[in-house]
Amino acid sequence: MRIFQLLFLLCLISTSISSKPIPIEAYGSLPKTSMMVLSPSGTKIAYRLTKEGKDFFMIYDLNGSKSIGAIDIGDIRPDSAYFIDEDRLILVASDNAKLWGYKGRHEISAAFSYNVKDKKLRQLLRLGDGIHDGQTALGRIVGVSNDGREVYMPAWENGATFSLMKTKLDSKRKARRFTKGKSDTIDFFVCNDLPIARERFDNKKDLHRIEVFKNEEWVEIYREKTDIKTKSFVGLTADVKHLVFLQHSNKGIVSYYTMALEDGEVGGPIFAQSDKDVEYVMTDINRIVYGVRYSGFTPSYEFFDAQATKMITDVVELVPNSSVTLVDHTPEWNKLIFLIEGNNSVGEYYLYSNEKLRFLASRRPDISTEQINQIVQTKIKARDGLRIPTLLTLPNVENPQNLPAIMLPHGGPEAYDSIRFDWLAQYFASRGFLVMQPQFRGSDGFGYEFKQKGRGEWGRKMQDDLTDTLRTLAKSGYVNSERVCIVGASYGGYAALAGAAFSPELYKCAVSINGVSDIDRMMRDERREHGAEHWVVAYWQKLINNGELPENHLKLISPINYVEQINVPVLLIHGEYDKVVPLHQSKYMEDKLKDANKVVELIELEHGDHYLSNGANRMKALEAIDGFIQKHI
């Protein structure tokens, strides 16, 4: 889209005068309703209800229009949920805790079964009783037994083997081994109470393998020598004759492939588009694949069942200019739950049945449709000619000229923004700011070539893409270049600090949320955490150090080494228990800035994680940002 077309859209959309600002609590609070799922019959829904500091998982009878269960989840942090059958719900939760005998704190996941009839919540796999005490991921379920009474869960046993365990849903009896793995096993596939395949990855040998269970023994059908996996195995075909995996096609697009369990023969690509990656494979509880979701500013879908694809298309046509996400469905595809958000919705759940949409709940009932700030898609031409897909969130003002602005780069960095209710972008726009979200080179979702262009470009061309977006919009007259702040979380936090350090003339302030300030220290932490030979270390090395770069490259792109160049106020916000980017990344940055007599403030979020998942912490962060922005621009 050329810039004059963009300006026309800005004028067309931004025609209403903003009323009294909505309280920041409407944005900073966790969504009132979230994580909605549907029972197999389609007669019950379950959802997370967060209100006035209380947190419950509710089970609701759609036919009787009444609640039939409520789980107090104040002591756990659910990340996902799904029905096993009409009476049993699975919650997968995480927590930051200490492990007996191990240093520090760790992110721990666990799965819980809730029975609607007896109202009891049971943890399905526990440390001890043969389960190794030093592991953190105990929340994965890879299948359900044919009688529906047990689930299959991978875990480390005492003896350094990663095996597949079998545990009862409604009993406290300890889990028992279903099939034994190896020390380099990373995944299992099961069907009809039989082991089907297992995946192995040896970090020391850089060896990726698939083995199938034949005649009571494991037989290798695939091996590849690689330091980073090129294939992501995600499920089974409906006939259970093939594994399903994702990899880049010869056109550089992430596509859907199959691997025959009989001999390892590869088929595909099957699901593939010329300009969109397959970003998610949709499966049932036993990991049988039925369709895919493609990347893009709004999600799109394709299924083996043509009728299912048509139903998605029908709903999209019912709500044009919105982002439609399939949340859950019945096995027969006669009832589906959608989350609709974007320019016409703050995020609302609907039940689709008999070609009709039934409203279920709003994620943010305190914000009306009229109060949503509109989102525009455009492309900005970078200095080297590359087109940068960009989202702009527009304030509801009468004359969108000379606006104060927020540069809001996403995290990852191999991720991307989408058209949805972005609580932080919407908050800024509600305060009169034009919010810029460039999908800088290296972002995911726009093909392999675009993503590869970000390799080795932290603090360099990836940062230039932000600069070029800002300068283009300032030149157009819609951004007041004297009133711009850069705000970001995770990699976006790094980009905010890099913006303040490497292009200080562009910004009046910078906010880093759980951001990286010292890349060299980050890599040392990764090697200490995972081991120098681990694929995670190889991934970061290729992402950050790719290409012909100076020996001191990591130091050259670390904002912490350039605090003398930072001449704008900096706000650092960091979770105490962040396990993705440790708190010391912000602490050391604060020390360096203070030593250089720079204006800096560090907000430590008590018990906070990397994702601002705690409601009180999110509000504390937003209140700090609100005061900081008002003070400086």
Side-chain angles (χ1 to χ4, degrees):
M1 181 186 292
R2 295 180 179 178
I3 192 66
F4 71 83
Q5 292 176 301
L6 167 63
L7 303 186
F8 174 75
L9 282 173
L10 290 171
C11 293
L12 184 65
I13 293 174
S14 299
T15 55
S16 62
I17 302 176
S18 59
S19 58
K20 184 179 179 180
I22 302 169
I24 64 172
E25 290 79 9
Y27 299 98
S29 298
L30 295 178
K32 180 180 178 181
T33 305
S34 60
M35 296 172 59
M36 186 173 288
V37 290
L38 187 64
S39 72
S41 69
T43 60
K44 300 183 184 76
I45 57 173
Y47 56 93
R48 184 179 181 180
L49 178 66
T50 306
K51 186 178 181 182
E52 298 175 354
K54 296 182 178 180
D55 216 348
F56 292 91
F57 226 92
M58 308 296 296
I59 297 90
Y60 188 84
D61 183 347
L62 291 172
N63 290 341
S65 299
K66 61 180 180 180
S67 295
I68 55 174
I71 313 166
D72 187 343
I73 55 174
D75 294 331
I76 63 175
R77 192 178 72 201
D79 301 312
S80 62
Y82 47 90
F83 279 96
I84 289 285
D85 54 33
E86 288 302 306
D87 298 319
R88 284 172 297 192
L89 181 73
I90 298 295
L91 296 179
V92 180
S94 58
D95 192 16
N96 186 283
K98 290 185 176 182
L99 288 174
W100 188 86
Y102 293 85
K103 292 182 179 180
R105 302 186 67 89
H106 306 270
E107 286 292 321
I108 299 173
S109 69
F112 298 84
S113 172
Y114 178 77
N115 193 310
V116 176
K117 290 183 177 178
D118 65 18
K119 313 295 184 186
K120 290 183 178 180
L121 187 69
R122 301 174 176 88
Q123 186 171 340
L124 294 178
L125 207 58
R126 296 175 180 272
L127 300 177
D129 293 330
I131 304 299
H132 193 271
D133 287 336
Q135 61 189 304
T136 57
L138 291 177
R140 288 185 61 208
I141 296 176
V142 299
V144 181
S145 63
N146 286 345
D147 61 13
R149 296 178 180 179
E150 297 175 292
V151 291
Y152 300 101
M153 305 178 69
W156 287 95
E157 293 186 273
N158 292 331
T161 58
F162 191 72
S163 298
L164 190 61
M165 313 302 290
K166 194 174 184 180
T167 184
K168 291 186 176 297
L169 286 167
D170 297 321
S171 172
K172 291 185 178 180
R173 290 179 56 185
K174 70 177 183 179
R176 64 189 187 279
R177 182 200 297 161
F178 177 67
T179 186
K180 189 175 182 179
K182 298 287 187 178
S183 59
D184 63 351
T185 303
I186 59 174
D187 203 358
F188 292 94
F189 297 87
V190 298
C191 186
N192 292 324
D193 294 332
L194 294 172
I196 300 297
R198 69 183 183 192
E199 182 180 8
R200 300 172 64 182
F201 187 79
D202 190 318
N203 285 291
K204 293 182 178 180
K205 297 179 180 178
D206 292 336
L207 185 60
H208 190 197
R209 288 180 280 183
I210 292 292
E211 297 172 332
V212 298
F213 198 63
K214 293 182 179 180
N215 301 320
E216 302 300 316
E217 63 178 358
W218 291 102
V219 179
E220 182 180 295
I221 62 167
Y222 159 80
R223 71 160 47 203
E224 180 183 7
K225 189 80 172 177
T226 177
D227 58 347
I228 299 175
K229 293 187 300 176
T230 63
K231 296 176 175 60
S232 176
F233 290 89
V234 292
L236 294 161
T237 56
D239 60 7
V240 198
K241 292 183 178 180
H242 299 80
L243 283 172
V244 172
F245 66 91
L246 302 181
Q247 75 169 15
H248 287 100
S249 69
N250 56 12
K251 295 182 179 179
I253 302 296
V254 177
S255 303
Y256 176 112
Y257 293 82
T258 60
M259 178 178 289
L261 293 169
E262 179 63 31
D263 55 13
E265 182 180 355
V266 170
I270 298 172
F271 287 126
Q273 291 194 6
S274 61
D275 59 346
K276 294 181 179 181
D277 292 330
V278 175
E279 68 175 5
Y280 182 72
V281 169
M282 310 186 74
T283 70
D284 64 13
I285 185 62
N286 289 306
R287 305 175 79 183
I288 301 298
V289 177
Y290 50 81
V292 300
R293 184 177 71 205
Y294 293 104
S295 63
F297 282 145
T298 57
S300 56
Y301 299 86
E302 191 172 0
F303 302 94
F304 287 112
D305 186 334
Q307 180 61 27
T309 302
K310 182 181 182 302
M311 292 175 76
I312 302 287
T313 303
D314 290 345
V315 173
V316 171
E317 290 177 353
L318 286 173
V319 285
N321 303 317
S322 296
S323 180
V324 178
T325 302
L326 175 63
V327 173
D328 206 357
H329 62 90
T330 57
E332 292 77 21
W333 289 90
N334 58 346
K335 294 181 180 180
L336 302 88
I337 290 181
F338 291 98
L339 174 63
I340 298 174
E341 54 187 336
N343 284 328
N344 298 311
S345 173
V346 296
E348 295 170 335
Y349 290 102
Y350 286 87
L351 178 69
Y352 183 72
S353 179
N354 298 321
E355 300 183 353
K356 295 180 180 179
L357 285 173
R358 171 184 171 182
F359 173 76
L360 295 175
S362 172
R363 287 170 58 85
R364 296 183 181 273
D366 296 333
I367 301 174
S368 68
T369 300
E370 293 74 23
Q371 293 169 318
I372 297 172
N373 299 280
Q374 298 297 292
I375 307 166
V376 172
Q377 303 178 47
T378 187
K379 286 188 177 182
I380 302 293
K381 187 177 180 180
R383 65 191 68 180
D384 62 357
L386 185 65
R387 298 281 179 173
I388 306 301
T390 302
L391 292 179
L392 302 175
T393 304
L394 313 175
N396 292 324
V397 296
E398 184 174 306
N399 184 22
Q401 290 276 344
N402 202 34
L403 295 168
I406 301 292
M407 175 63 70
L408 189 62
H410 62 70
E414 292 188 346
Y416 67 95
D417 297 301
S418 58
I419 293 179
R420 58 187 177 88
F421 189 89
D422 183 322
W423 63 272
L424 194 52
Q426 287 289 326
Y427 153 74
F428 283 127
S430 76
R431 267 50 185 173
F433 294 94
L434 173 64
V435 182
M436 303 169 284
Q437 294 177 287
Q439 310 307 294
F440 45 82
R441 70 193 69 205
S443 297
D444 209 352
F446 304 98
Y448 180 76
E449 183 178 349
F450 189 85
K451 183 163 64 175
Q452 287 296 109
K453 287 182 182 295
R455 298 292 169 98
E457 297 297 343
W458 284 41
R460 292 154 43 105
K461 289 183 180 179
M462 291 166 71
Q463 204 71 27
D464 290 344
D465 293 340
L466 307 183
T467 296
D468 294 344
T469 299
L470 171 55
R471 285 178 171 165
T472 298
L473 292 170
K475 186 177 180 180
S476 74
Y478 282 82
V479 168
N480 181 344
S481 60
E482 297 299 315
R483 300 182 65 197
V484 182
C485 188
I486 184 168
V487 181
S490 194
Y491 172 84
Y494 163 80
L497 295 174
F502 304 145
S503 50
E505 74 283 1
L506 295 179
Y507 303 107
K508 294 304 177 186
C509 58
V511 180
S512 171
I513 306 167
N514 297 329
V516 177
S517 63
D518 188 337
I519 308 298
D520 198 21
R521 184 179 292 274
M522 168 189 150
M523 291 305 298
R524 293 200 304 269
D525 288 343
E526 293 292 344
R527 284 189 286 269
R528 183 172 58 252
E529 175 79 13
H530 301 286
E533 297 171 326
H534 200 278
W535 71 266
V536 170
V537 175
Y539 167 78
W540 284 118
Q541 287 175 338
K542 287 187 176 181
L543 192 68
I544 302 170
N545 259 342
N546 190 61
E548 296 181 6
L549 300 168
E551 186 177 345
N552 61 342
H553 174 62
L554 298 184
K555 295 183 183 298
L556 292 175
I557 63 172
S558 295
I560 200 167
N561 297 321
Y562 296 87
V563 294
E564 292 293 345
Q565 297 179 188
I566 297 176
N567 54 25
V568 300
V570 174
L571 175 62
L572 304 168
I573 299 173
H574 218 115
E576 178 187 11
Y577 294 158
D578 188 342
K579 295 297 294 182
V580 179
V581 178
L583 173 61
H584 62 239
Q585 284 282 345
S586 288
K587 276 184 168 291
Y588 292 140
M589 189 67 182
E590 180 196 28
D591 291 343
K592 283 274 192 174
L593 287 165
K594 283 185 174 179
D595 289 344
N597 295 316
K598 305 295 182 176
V599 179
V600 62
E601 181 182 5
L602 171 60
I603 304 293
E604 290 187 35
L605 301 177
E606 186 177 5
H607 300 168
D609 63 10
H610 190 66
Y611 309 101
L612 296 181
S613 61
N614 176 279
N617 278 335
R618 184 177 292 191
M619 272 306 305
K620 184 177 180 180
L622 189 56
E623 286 170 350
I625 293 170
D626 182 69
F628 181 79
I629 296 293
Q630 288 189 34
K631 181 177 180 179
H632 297 294
I633 56 171

